Amino acid sequence: MKRFLVSLVYALEGIRFGIKTQRHLRFHLVAACLALVAGLWKGLQPVAWGLLVLLIAAVVAAELINTAIEAVVDLVSPLPHPLAKAAKDTAAGAVLVLAAAALVIAIVLFCC
């Protein structure tokens, strides 16, 4: 149990680091709060709630993974390098793809 709690603390520290240092993560969290309020206002059905929460978690997790990739790239390649740029750009692109898909699905959930 102690190891689990230690791991939980480390994970929470990672989330806090992401929130403190990544403006895109903060943007996604604000958007998530707005989506949750809109879900309450719209009176979403349980399956729609599940999908909405899953999408929010996926986008936030993708942003945290992107942050981790950027940190590792900065650590191993402090000087500009084409492969470092490719790694960072690709990770950011993955977040963009997921966020765009989440937006489309949210529009369907709220408009239909």
Side-chain angles (χ1 to χ4, degrees):
M1 183 67 167
K2 182 180 178 184
R3 288 192 337 207
F4 170 76
L5 292 176
V6 169
S7 295
L8 181 62
V9 168
Y10 289 150
L12 292 172
E13 286 177 4
I15 293 168
R16 183 176 39 197
F17 175 81
I19 292 169
K20 288 173 73 175
T21 63
Q22 303 301 309
R23 67 182 166 94
H24 289 112
L25 178 56
R26 291 190 300 272
F27 171 82
H28 287 299
L29 289 172
V30 170
C33 290
L34 293 173
L36 293 171
V37 169
L40 289 171
W41 175 74
K42 180 77 173 173
L44 292 180
Q45 297 299 312
V47 172
W49 272 112
L51 185 56
L52 182 64
V53 170
L54 181 62
L55 288 168
I56 290 169
V59 171
V60 169
E63 274 291 352
L64 290 170
I65 292 167
N66 181 46
T67 299
I69 290 170
E70 288 183 354
V72 170
V73 168
D74 288 345
L75 179 65
V76 299
S77 182
L79 299 176
H81 190 282
L83 290 176
K85 180 181 182 336
K88 289 181 166 190
D89 291 351
T90 303
V95 176
L96 179 61
V97 168
L98 183 57
L103 178 61
V104 170
I105 294 169
I107 290 169
V108 170
L109 289 176
F110 293 125
C111 294
C112 297

